[in-house]
Coordinates of all heavy atoms in Angstrom, one line a residue:
M1 N 3.4 14.4 0.5 CA 2.3 15.2 -0.1 C 2.8 16.6 0.1 O 3.2 17.0 1.1 CB 1.0 14.9 0.5 CG -0.1 15.7 -0.1 SD -1.8 15.2 0.4 CE -1.7 15.1 2.1
K2 N 2.7 17.4 -1.0 CA 3.1 18.8 -1.0 C 1.9 19.7 -1.1 O 1.0 19.5 -1.9 CB 4.0 19.0 -2.2 CG 4.6 20.3 -2.3 CD 5.5 20.4 -3.5 CE 5.9 21.8 -3.8 NZ 6.8 21.8 -5.0
Y3 N 1.8 20.7 -0.3 CA 0.8 21.7 -0.4 C 1.2 22.9 -1.3 O 2.3 23.4 -1.2 CB 0.4 22.3 1.0 CG -0.3 21.3 1.9 CD1 0.5 20.5 2.8 CD2 -1.6 21.0 1.8 CE1 -0.2 19.6 3.6 CE2 -2.2 20.1 2.6 CZ -1.5 19.4 3.5 OH -2.1 18.4 4.3
V4 N 0.2 23.2 -2.1 CA 0.5 24.3 -3.1 C -0.7 25.2 -3.1 O -1.9 24.8 -3.0 CB 0.7 23.7 -4.5 CG1 0.9 24.8 -5.5 CG2 1.8 22.7 -4.6
K5 N -0.5 26.5 -3.1 CA -1.6 27.5 -3.2 C -2.3 27.4 -4.5 O -1.6 27.5 -5.6 CB -1.1 28.9 -2.9 CG -0.7 29.2 -1.5 CD -0.3 30.6 -1.2 CE -1.5 31.5 -1.4 NZ -1.4 32.9 -1.1
A6 N -3.6 27.3 -4.5 CA -4.3 27.1 -5.8 C -4.2 28.3 -6.7 O -4.1 28.1 -7.9 CB -5.8 26.8 -5.5
D7 N -4.1 29.5 -6.1 CA -4.0 30.6 -7.0 C -2.6 30.7 -7.7 O -2.5 31.5 -8.6 CB -4.3 31.9 -6.3 CG -3.4 32.2 -5.1 OD1 -2.6 31.3 -4.7 OD2 -3.5 33.3 -4.5
M8 N -1.7 29.9 -7.3 CA -0.4 29.9 -7.9 C -0.3 28.9 -9.1 O 0.6 29.0 -9.9 CB 0.7 29.5 -6.9 CG 0.8 30.5 -5.7 SD 1.2 32.1 -6.1 CE 2.9 32.0 -6.3
V9 N -1.3 28.0 -9.2 CA -1.2 26.9 -10.2 C -2.4 26.8 -11.1 O -2.3 26.3 -12.2 CB -0.9 25.5 -9.6 CG1 0.5 25.5 -8.9 CG2 -1.9 25.1 -8.6
L10 N -3.6 27.3 -10.6 CA -4.8 27.2 -11.4 C -5.1 28.4 -12.2 O -4.9 29.5 -11.6 CB -6.0 26.8 -10.5 CG -5.9 25.5 -9.7 CD1 -7.2 25.4 -8.9 CD2 -5.8 24.4 -10.7
P11 N -5.6 28.3 -13.4 CA -6.0 29.5 -14.1 C -7.1 30.2 -13.3 O -7.9 29.6 -12.6 CB -6.6 29.0 -15.4 CG -6.0 27.6 -15.5 CD -5.8 27.1 -14.1
E12 N -7.2 31.5 -13.4 CA -8.2 32.3 -12.6 C -9.6 31.8 -12.8 O -10.3 31.7 -11.8 CB -8.1 33.8 -13.0 CG -8.9 34.7 -12.1 CD -8.7 36.2 -12.4 OE1 -7.7 36.5 -13.0 OE2 -9.6 36.9 -12.1
Q13 N -10.0 31.5 -14.0 CA -11.4 31.1 -14.2 C -11.7 29.8 -13.5 O -12.7 29.6 -12.9 CB -11.7 31.0 -15.7 CG -13.1 30.6 -16.0 CD -13.3 30.5 -17.5 OE1 -12.5 30.8 -18.3 NE2 -14.5 30.1 -17.9
L14 N -10.7 28.8 -13.6 CA -10.9 27.5 -12.9 C -10.9 27.7 -11.4 O -11.7 27.1 -10.7 CB -9.8 26.6 -13.3 CG -9.8 25.2 -12.7 CD1 -11.1 24.5 -13.0 CD2 -8.6 24.4 -13.2
L15 N -10.0 28.6 -10.9 CA -10.0 28.8 -9.5 C -11.4 29.4 -9.0 O -11.9 28.9 -7.9 CB -8.9 29.8 -9.1 CG -8.8 30.3 -7.7 CD1 -8.5 29.0 -6.8 CD2 -7.7 31.3 -7.5
R16 N -11.9 30.3 -9.7 CA -13.3 30.8 -9.3 C -14.3 29.7 -9.3 O -15.2 29.7 -8.4 CB -13.7 32.0 -10.2 CG -13.0 33.3 -9.8 CD -13.6 34.5 -10.5 NE -12.6 34.8 -11.6 CZ -12.9 34.8 -12.9 NH1 -14.2 34.6 -13.3 NH2 -12.0 35.0 -13.8
E17 N -14.2 28.8 -10.3 CA -15.2 27.7 -10.3 C -15.0 26.8 -9.1 O -16.0 26.3 -8.5 CB -15.0 27.0 -11.7 CG -16.1 26.0 -12.0 CD -17.5 26.7 -12.2 OE1 -17.6 27.8 -12.6 OE2 -18.5 26.0 -11.9
V18 N -13.8 26.5 -8.8 CA -13.5 25.6 -7.7 C -14.0 26.3 -6.4 O -14.5 25.6 -5.5 CB -12.0 25.2 -7.6 CG1 -11.7 24.5 -6.3 CG2 -11.6 24.3 -8.8
Q19 N -13.8 27.6 -6.3 CA -14.2 28.3 -5.0 C -15.7 28.2 -4.8 O -16.2 28.3 -3.7 CB -13.7 29.7 -5.1 CG -12.3 29.9 -4.9 CD -11.8 31.3 -5.1 OE1 -12.3 32.0 -6.0 NE2 -10.7 31.7 -4.4
K20 N -16.5 28.0 -5.9 CA -17.9 27.9 -5.7 C -18.3 26.7 -4.8 O -19.3 26.6 -4.1 CB -18.6 27.8 -7.0 CG -18.6 29.0 -7.9 CD -19.3 28.7 -9.2 CE -19.2 29.9 -10.1 NZ -19.9 29.6 -11.4
Y21 N -17.5 25.6 -4.9 CA -17.7 24.4 -4.2 C -16.8 24.2 -3.0 O -17.2 23.5 -2.0 CB -17.5 23.2 -5.2 CG -18.3 23.2 -6.4 CD1 -17.8 23.8 -7.6 CD2 -19.6 22.8 -6.4 CE1 -18.6 23.8 -8.7 CE2 -20.4 22.8 -7.5 CZ -19.9 23.4 -8.7 OH -20.7 23.4 -9.8
M22 N -15.6 24.7 -3.0 CA -14.7 24.4 -1.9 C -14.0 25.7 -1.4 O -12.9 25.7 -1.1 CB -13.5 23.6 -2.5 CG -14.0 22.3 -3.1 SD -14.6 21.1 -1.9 CE -13.1 20.8 -1.0
N23 N -14.8 26.8 -1.2 CA -14.2 28.0 -0.8 C -13.6 28.0 0.6 O -14.3 27.7 1.6 CB -15.3 29.1 -0.8 CG -14.7 30.5 -0.8 OD1 -13.5 30.7 -1.1 ND2 -15.5 31.5 -0.3
G24 N -12.3 28.2 0.7 CA -11.6 28.3 2.0 C -11.3 27.0 2.7 O -10.9 27.0 3.8
V25 N -11.4 25.9 2.0 CA -11.1 24.6 2.7 C -9.9 24.0 1.9 O -9.7 24.3 0.7 CB -12.3 23.6 2.7 CG1 -13.4 24.2 3.5 CG2 -12.8 23.3 1.3
M26 N -9.2 23.0 2.6 CA -8.2 22.3 1.9 C -8.8 21.1 1.1 O -9.7 20.5 1.6 CB -7.1 21.8 2.9 CG -6.3 23.0 3.5 SD -4.8 22.5 4.3 CE -5.3 21.4 5.5
M27 N -8.2 20.9 0.0 CA -8.7 19.8 -0.9 C -7.5 19.0 -1.3 O -6.4 19.5 -1.7 CB -9.4 20.4 -2.1 CG -9.9 19.4 -3.0 SD -10.9 20.2 -4.4 CE -9.7 21.0 -5.3
Y28 N -7.6 17.6 -1.3 CA -6.6 16.7 -1.8 C -6.9 16.4 -3.2 O -8.0 16.0 -3.5 CB -6.5 15.5 -0.9 CG -5.6 14.4 -1.5 CD1 -4.3 14.6 -1.4 CD2 -6.2 13.3 -2.1 CE1 -3.4 13.6 -2.0 CE2 -5.3 12.3 -2.6 CZ -4.0 12.5 -2.5 OH -3.1 11.5 -3.1
V29 N -5.9 16.5 -4.1 CA -6.1 16.1 -5.5 C -5.1 15.0 -5.7 O -3.9 15.1 -5.8 CB -5.7 17.3 -6.4 CG1 -5.9 16.9 -7.9 CG2 -6.6 18.5 -6.1
P30 N -5.7 13.8 -5.9 CA -4.8 12.6 -6.1 C -4.2 12.6 -7.5 O -4.6 13.3 -8.4 CB -5.8 11.4 -6.0 CG -7.1 12.0 -6.4 CD -7.1 13.4 -5.9
K31 N -3.1 11.8 -7.6 CA -2.4 11.7 -8.8 C -3.3 11.0 -9.8 O -4.2 10.2 -9.4 CB -1.1 10.8 -8.7 CG 0.0 11.5 -7.9 CD 1.2 10.6 -7.9 CE 2.3 11.4 -7.2 NZ 3.6 10.5 -7.2
A32 N -3.1 11.2 -11.1 CA -3.8 10.5 -12.1 C -3.5 9.0 -12.0 O -2.5 8.6 -11.6 CB -3.4 11.0 -13.5
E33 N -4.5 8.2 -12.4 CA -4.4 6.7 -12.3 C -3.1 6.2 -12.9 O -2.5 5.3 -12.3 CB -5.6 6.0 -12.9 CG -5.8 4.6 -12.5 CD -6.1 4.4 -11.1 OE1 -6.8 5.2 -10.5 OE2 -5.6 3.4 -10.5
G34 N -2.7 6.6 -14.0 CA -1.5 6.1 -14.6 C -0.2 6.5 -14.0 O 0.9 6.0 -14.2
D35 N -0.2 7.6 -13.1 CA 0.9 8.1 -12.5 C 1.2 7.5 -11.1 O 2.3 7.7 -10.5 CB 0.8 9.6 -12.3 CG 0.8 10.4 -13.6 OD1 1.2 9.8 -14.6 OD2 0.3 11.5 -13.6
R36 N 0.3 6.7 -10.6 CA 0.5 6.1 -9.3 C 1.4 4.9 -9.3 O 1.4 4.1 -10.3 CB -0.9 5.6 -8.7 CG -1.8 6.8 -8.5 CD -3.1 6.2 -7.9 NE -4.1 7.3 -7.8 CZ -5.4 7.1 -7.5 NH1 -5.8 5.9 -7.2 NH2 -6.2 8.2 -7.4
I37 N 2.1 4.8 -8.2 CA 3.0 3.6 -8.1 C 2.4 2.8 -6.9 O 1.8 3.4 -6.0 CB 4.5 3.9 -7.9 CG1 4.7 4.8 -6.7 CG2 5.0 4.5 -9.1 CD1 6.2 4.9 -6.3
G38 N 2.5 1.5 -6.9 CA 2.0 0.7 -5.8 C 2.7 0.8 -4.5 O 3.8 1.3 -4.4
W39 N 2.0 0.4 -3.4 CA 2.6 0.4 -2.1 C 3.9 -0.4 -2.1 O 4.0 -1.5 -2.6 CB 1.6 -0.2 -1.1 CG 2.2 -0.4 0.3 CD1 2.3 0.5 1.3 CD2 2.9 -1.5 0.7 NE1 2.9 0.0 2.4 CE2 3.4 -1.3 2.0 CE3 3.2 -2.8 0.2 CZ2 4.1 -2.2 2.8 CZ3 4.0 -3.7 1.0 CH2 4.4 -3.4 2.3
G40 N 4.9 0.2 -1.5 CA 6.2 -0.5 -1.2 C 7.1 -0.6 -2.5 O 8.1 -1.2 -2.4
V41 N 6.6 -0.2 -3.6 CA 7.4 -0.3 -4.8 C 8.7 0.5 -4.7 O 9.8 0.0 -5.0 CB 6.6 0.0 -6.1 CG1 7.5 0.0 -7.3 CG2 5.5 -1.0 -6.2
K42 N 8.5 1.8 -4.3 CA 9.7 2.7 -4.3 C 10.7 2.3 -3.2 O 11.9 2.4 -3.4 CB 9.1 4.1 -4.1 CG 10.1 5.2 -4.4 CD 9.5 6.5 -4.4 CE 10.4 7.6 -4.8 NZ 9.7 8.9 -4.8
S43 N 10.1 2.0 -2.0 CA 11.0 1.7 -0.9 C 11.6 0.3 -0.9 O 12.5 0.0 -0.1 CB 10.2 1.9 0.4 OG 9.2 0.9 0.5
G44 N 11.0 -0.6 -1.6 CA 11.4 -2.0 -1.7 C 10.7 -2.9 -0.6 O 11.0 -4.1 -0.5
G45 N 9.8 -2.3 0.1 CA 9.0 -3.0 1.1 C 8.2 -4.1 0.5 O 8.1 -5.2 1.1
R46 N 7.6 -3.9 -0.6 CA 6.8 -5.0 -1.2 C 7.6 -6.2 -1.6 O 7.3 -7.3 -1.4 CB 6.1 -4.4 -2.5 CG 5.3 -5.4 -3.2 CD 4.5 -4.8 -4.3 NE 3.6 -3.8 -3.8 CZ 2.3 -3.9 -3.9 NH1 1.7 -4.9 -4.6 NH2 1.5 -3.0 -3.4
Q47 N 8.8 -5.9 -2.1 CA 9.7 -7.0 -2.5 C 10.1 -7.8 -1.3 O 10.1 -9.1 -1.3 CB 10.9 -6.5 -3.3 CG 11.8 -7.6 -3.8 CD 13.0 -7.1 -4.5 OE1 13.2 -5.8 -4.6 NE2 13.8 -7.9 -5.1
R48 N 10.5 -7.1 -0.2 CA 10.9 -7.8 1.0 C 9.7 -8.7 1.6 O 9.9 -9.8 2.0 CB 11.4 -6.8 2.1 CG 12.7 -6.2 1.7 CD 13.3 -5.5 2.9 NE 12.5 -4.3 3.3 CZ 12.5 -3.1 2.7 NH1 13.3 -2.9 1.7 NH2 11.8 -2.2 3.2
L49 N 8.5 -8.1 1.5 CA 7.3 -8.9 2.0 C 7.1 -10.1 1.1 O 6.8 -11.2 1.7 CB 6.1 -7.9 2.0 CG 4.8 -8.5 2.6 CD1 5.0 -9.0 4.0 CD2 3.7 -7.5 2.5
E50 N 7.2 -9.9 -0.2 CA 7.0 -11.1 -1.1 C 8.1 -12.2 -0.8 O 7.7 -13.4 -0.9 CB 7.0 -10.6 -2.5 CG 5.7 -9.9 -2.9 CD 5.8 -9.2 -4.3 OE1 6.8 -9.3 -5.0 OE2 4.8 -8.6 -4.7
Q51 N 9.3 -11.8 -0.6 CA 10.3 -12.7 -0.3 C 10.0 -13.5 1.0 O 10.2 -14.7 1.1 CB 11.7 -12.0 -0.2 CG 12.3 -11.6 -1.5 CD 13.5 -10.7 -1.3 OE1 13.8 -10.2 -0.2 NE2 14.2 -10.6 -2.4
R52 N 9.6 -12.7 2.0 CA 9.2 -13.3 3.3 C 8.1 -14.3 3.2 O 8.1 -15.5 3.7 CB 8.9 -12.2 4.3 CG 8.6 -12.7 5.7 CD 8.4 -11.6 6.6 NE 8.4 -12.0 8.0 CZ 7.6 -11.6 8.9 NH1 6.8 -10.6 8.7 NH2 7.6 -12.1 10.1
I53 N 7.1 -14.0 2.4 CA 6.0 -14.9 2.2 C 6.4 -16.1 1.4 O 6.0 -17.2 1.7 CB 4.8 -14.1 1.5 CG1 4.2 -13.1 2.4 CG2 3.8 -15.1 0.9 CD1 3.2 -12.2 1.8
G54 N 7.3 -15.9 0.4 CA 7.8 -17.0 -0.3 C 8.6 -18.0 0.6 O 8.5 -19.2 0.4
E55 N 9.4 -17.4 1.5 CA 10.1 -18.2 2.4 C 9.2 -19.0 3.3 O 9.4 -20.2 3.6 CB 11.0 -17.3 3.3 CG 11.9 -18.1 4.2 CD 12.8 -17.2 5.1 OE1 12.8 -16.0 4.9 OE2 13.5 -17.7 6.0
M56 N 8.1 -18.4 3.8 CA 7.2 -19.2 4.6 C 6.6 -20.3 3.9 O 6.5 -21.4 4.4 CB 6.0 -18.2 5.1 CG 6.4 -17.3 6.1 SD 4.9 -16.3 6.6 CE 5.7 -14.6 6.5
R57 N 6.2 -20.1 2.6 CA 5.5 -21.1 1.8 C 6.5 -22.3 1.5 O 6.2 -23.4 1.5 CB 5.0 -20.5 0.5 CG 3.8 -19.7 0.7 CD 3.2 -19.2 -0.6 NE 2.0 -18.5 -0.3 CZ 1.5 -17.4 -1.0 NH1 2.3 -17.0 -2.0 NH2 0.4 -16.9 -0.7
E58 N 7.8 -21.9 1.2 CA 8.8 -22.9 1.0 C 9.1 -23.7 2.2 O 9.1 -25.0 2.1 CB 10.1 -22.2 0.5 CG 11.2 -23.1 0.2 CD 11.0 -24.0 -1.0 OE1 10.2 -23.6 -1.9 OE2 11.5 -25.1 -1.0
L59 N 9.2 -23.1 3.3 CA 9.4 -23.9 4.6 C 8.3 -24.8 4.9 O 8.4 -26.0 5.3 CB 9.7 -23.0 5.8 CG 11.0 -22.2 5.7 CD1 11.1 -21.1 6.8 CD2 12.2 -23.2 5.9
F60 N 7.0 -24.3 4.6 CA 5.8 -25.1 4.9 C 5.8 -26.3 3.9 O 5.5 -27.5 4.3 CB 4.6 -24.3 4.7 CG 3.3 -25.0 5.1 CD1 3.0 -25.3 6.4 CD2 2.4 -25.4 4.1 CE1 1.8 -26.0 6.7 CE2 1.3 -26.1 4.4 CZ 1.0 -26.4 5.7
S61 N 6.2 -26.1 2.7 CA 6.2 -27.2 1.7 C 7.3 -28.2 2.0 O 7.2 -29.4 1.6 CB 6.4 -26.7 0.3 OG 7.7 -26.2 0.1
Q62 N 8.3 -27.8 2.8 CA 9.4 -28.7 3.2 C 9.1 -29.4 4.5 O 9.9 -30.2 5.0 CB 10.7 -28.0 3.3 CG 11.2 -27.4 2.0 CD 12.5 -26.6 2.1 OE1 12.9 -26.3 3.2 NE2 13.0 -26.1 1.0
G63 N 7.9 -29.2 5.1 CA 7.5 -29.9 6.2 C 7.4 -29.1 7.5 O 7.1 -29.7 8.6
A64 N 7.8 -27.8 7.5 CA 7.7 -27.0 8.7 C 6.2 -26.9 9.2 O 5.3 -26.8 8.3 CB 8.2 -25.6 8.5
T65 N 6.0 -26.9 10.5 CA 4.6 -26.9 11.0 C 4.2 -25.4 11.1 O 5.0 -24.5 11.1 CB 4.5 -27.5 12.4 OG1 5.3 -26.8 13.3 CG2 5.0 -29.0 12.3
I66 N 2.9 -25.2 11.2 CA 2.3 -23.9 11.4 C 2.9 -23.2 12.7 O 3.3 -22.1 12.7 CB 0.8 -23.9 11.5 CG1 0.2 -24.5 10.2 CG2 0.2 -22.5 11.9 CD1 0.3 -23.6 9.0
E67 N 3.1 -24.0 13.8 CA 3.6 -23.5 15.0 C 5.1 -23.1 14.9 O 5.5 -22.1 15.4 CB 3.5 -24.6 16.1 CG 2.1 -24.9 16.6 CD 1.2 -25.7 15.6 OE1 1.8 -26.5 14.7 OE2 0.0 -25.6 15.6
Q68 N 5.8 -23.9 14.1 CA 7.2 -23.5 13.9 C 7.3 -22.2 13.1 O 8.2 -21.3 13.4 CB 8.0 -24.6 13.1 CG 8.2 -25.8 13.9 CD 8.7 -27.0 13.1 OE1 8.4 -27.1 11.9 NE2 9.4 -27.9 13.7
L69 N 6.4 -22.0 12.2 CA 6.4 -20.8 11.4 C 6.0 -19.6 12.2 O 6.5 -18.5 12.0 CB 5.6 -20.9 10.1 CG 6.1 -22.0 9.1 CD1 5.0 -22.1 8.0 CD2 7.4 -21.6 8.5
T70 N 5.0 -19.8 13.1 CA 4.6 -18.7 13.9 C 5.8 -18.2 14.8 O 5.9 -17.0 15.0 CB 3.4 -19.0 14.8 OG1 3.8 -20.1 15.7 CG2 2.2 -19.4 14.0
E71 N 6.5 -19.1 15.3 CA 7.7 -18.7 16.2 C 8.8 -18.0 15.4 O 9.4 -17.1 15.8 CB 8.2 -20.0 16.9 CG 7.3 -20.5 18.0 CD 7.8 -21.8 18.6 OE1 9.1 -22.0 18.5 OE2 7.0 -22.5 19.2
R72 N 9.0 -18.5 14.2 CA 10.1 -18.0 13.4 C 9.7 -16.6 12.8 O 10.6 -15.7 12.8 CB 10.4 -18.9 12.2 CG 11.5 -18.4 11.3 CD 11.9 -19.4 10.4 NE 13.0 -18.9 9.5 CZ 13.8 -19.6 8.8 NH1 13.7 -20.9 8.8 NH2 14.7 -19.0 8.1
F73 N 8.5 -16.4 12.4 CA 8.1 -15.1 11.7 C 7.3 -14.2 12.6 O 6.9 -13.1 12.2 CB 7.3 -15.5 10.4 CG 8.2 -16.1 9.4 CD1 8.1 -17.5 9.2 CD2 9.1 -15.4 8.6 CE1 8.9 -18.1 8.3 CE2 9.9 -16.0 7.7 CZ 9.8 -17.4 7.5
Y74 N 7.0 -14.6 13.8 CA 6.3 -13.7 14.8 C 5.0 -13.3 14.3 O 4.6 -12.1 14.4 CB 7.2 -12.5 15.2 CG 8.5 -12.9 15.8 CD1 9.7 -12.8 15.0 CD2 8.6 -13.3 17.1 CE1 10.9 -13.1 15.5 CE2 9.9 -13.6 17.6 CZ 11.0 -13.6 16.8 OH 12.2 -13.9 17.3
L75 N 4.2 -14.3 13.7 CA 2.9 -14.0 13.3 C 1.9 -15.0 13.9 O 2.4 -16.1 14.4 CB 2.8 -14.2 11.7 CG 3.6 -13.2 10.9 CD1 3.6 -13.6 9.4 CD2 3.0 -11.8 11.1
S76 N 0.6 -14.7 13.9 CA -0.3 -15.6 14.5 C -0.5 -16.9 13.6 O -0.2 -16.8 12.4 CB -1.7 -14.9 14.7 OG -2.3 -14.7 13.4
C77 N -1.1 -17.9 14.2 CA -1.4 -19.1 13.5 C -2.3 -18.8 12.3 O -2.1 -19.3 11.2 CB -2.0 -20.2 14.4 SG -0.8 -20.9 15.6
D78 N -3.3 -18.0 12.6 CA -4.3 -17.7 11.5 C -3.6 -17.0 10.4 O -3.9 -17.3 9.2 CB -5.4 -16.9 12.1 CG -6.4 -17.6 13.0 OD1 -6.4 -18.9 12.9 OD2 -7.1 -17.0 13.8
T79 N -2.7 -16.1 10.7 CA -2.1 -15.4 9.6 C -1.2 -16.3 8.8 O -1.2 -16.2 7.5 CB -1.2 -14.2 10.2 OG1 -2.1 -13.3 10.9 CG2 -0.5 -13.4 9.1
I80 N -0.4 -17.2 9.5 CA 0.4 -18.1 8.8 C -0.5 -19.0 7.9 O -0.1 -19.3 6.7 CB 1.2 -19.0 9.8 CG1 2.2 -18.1 10.5 CG2 1.9 -20.1 9.0 CD1 3.4 -17.6 9.7
K81 N -1.6 -19.5 8.4 CA -2.5 -20.4 7.6 C -3.0 -19.7 6.4 O -3.0 -20.2 5.3 CB -3.7 -20.8 8.5 CG -3.3 -21.8 9.5 CD -4.5 -22.2 10.3 CE -4.2 -23.1 11.5 NZ -5.3 -23.4 12.3
K82 N -3.3 -18.4 6.5 CA -3.8 -17.6 5.3 C -2.7 -17.5 4.3 O -3.0 -17.6 3.1 CB -4.2 -16.2 5.7 CG -5.5 -16.1 6.5 CD -5.8 -14.7 6.9 CE -7.0 -14.7 7.8 NZ -7.3 -13.3 8.3
I83 N -1.5 -17.4 4.7 CA -0.4 -17.3 3.8 C -0.1 -18.6 3.1 O 0.0 -18.7 1.9 CB 0.9 -16.7 4.5 CG1 0.6 -15.2 4.9 CG2 2.1 -16.8 3.6 CD1 1.6 -14.7 5.8
V84 N 0.1 -19.7 3.9 CA 0.5 -20.9 3.3 C -0.6 -21.7 2.5 O -0.3 -22.5 1.6 CB 1.2 -21.8 4.3 CG1 2.4 -21.2 4.9 CG2 0.2 -22.3 5.4
Y85 N -1.8 -21.4 2.9 CA -2.9 -22.1 2.2 C -3.5 -21.3 1.1 O -4.4 -21.8 0.3 CB -4.0 -22.5 3.2 CG -3.6 -23.5 4.2 CD1 -3.8 -23.4 5.5 CD2 -2.9 -24.7 3.8 CE1 -3.5 -24.3 6.5 CE2 -2.5 -25.7 4.7 CZ -2.8 -25.5 6.1 OH -2.4 -26.4 7.0
A86 N -3.1 -20.0 0.9 CA -3.6 -19.2 -0.2 C -3.2 -19.7 -1.5 O -2.1 -20.2 -1.7 CB -3.2 -17.7 0.0
K87 N -4.1 -19.6 -2.5 CA -3.7 -20.0 -3.8 C -2.8 -18.9 -4.4 O -3.0 -17.7 -4.3 CB -5.0 -20.1 -4.7 CG -5.9 -21.2 -4.3 CD -7.1 -21.3 -5.2 CE -8.0 -22.4 -4.7 NZ -9.2 -22.4 -5.4
T88 N -1.7 -19.3 -5.0 CA -0.8 -18.4 -5.6 C -1.2 -18.1 -7.0 O -1.9 -18.9 -7.7 CB 0.7 -19.0 -5.6 OG1 0.7 -20.2 -6.3 CG2 1.2 -19.1 -4.2
K89 N -0.8 -16.9 -7.5 CA -1.2 -16.5 -8.9 C -0.5 -17.3 -10.0 O 0.5 -17.7 -9.9 CB -0.9 -15.0 -9.0 CG -1.7 -14.1 -8.1 CD -1.3 -12.7 -8.3 CE -2.0 -11.8 -7.3 NZ -1.6 -10.4 -7.3

């Protein structure tokens, strides 16, 4: 997130209007809905997580037990159960 001085980017009339409500405080302006990218898309974290979940489901379908998966993936039994028993899209 980058900080920018409002008087450098906003027209004077708009700046005065914003100052009526937010004078002297910092304000976060989120990206427009169409400009947002999902969590982990840019870094590849989402893809790695999906691959890991897919591996857990595949091993479970091949007969691996919940306990074996908890040891292999370092997750709790409850978390493994949520993953392997969840309905896929």
Side-chain angles (χ1 to χ4, degrees):
M1 180 168 50
K2 180 179 170 184
Y3 289 98
V4 179
K5 287 185 68 175
D7 59 351
M8 302 297 282
V9 294
L10 297 178
E12 187 176 335
Q13 183 178 357
L14 178 57
L15 178 60
R16 278 188 263 123
E17 192 64 29
V18 170
Q19 285 173 330
K20 290 178 186 178
Y21 302 96
M22 305 288 296
N23 195 24
V25 298
M26 290 199 303
M27 178 175 69
Y28 172 73
V29 179
K31 289 183 177 182
E33 194 64 38
D35 295 340
R36 294 182 187 174
I37 59 172
W39 171 88
V41 172
K42 195 173 185 179
S43 68
R46 179 174 297 243
Q47 183 179 7
R48 287 190 300 274
L49 184 60
E50 288 173 357
Q51 288 173 343
R52 186 173 187 220
I53 289 171
E55 184 180 355
M56 286 181 228
R57 288 182 175 148
E58 180 65 27
L59 289 170
F60 185 72
S61 70
Q62 293 174 358
T65 66
I66 299 293
E67 290 75 24
Q68 290 170 332
L69 295 175
T70 60
E71 290 178 20
R72 179 170 181 163
F73 293 100
Y74 302 100
L75 296 171
S76 71
C77 287
D78 288 337
T79 301
I80 295 290
K81 286 178 185 178
K82 287 177 187 176
I83 291 169
V84 298
Y85 294 132
K87 294 180 181 177
T88 57
K89 295 178 184 177

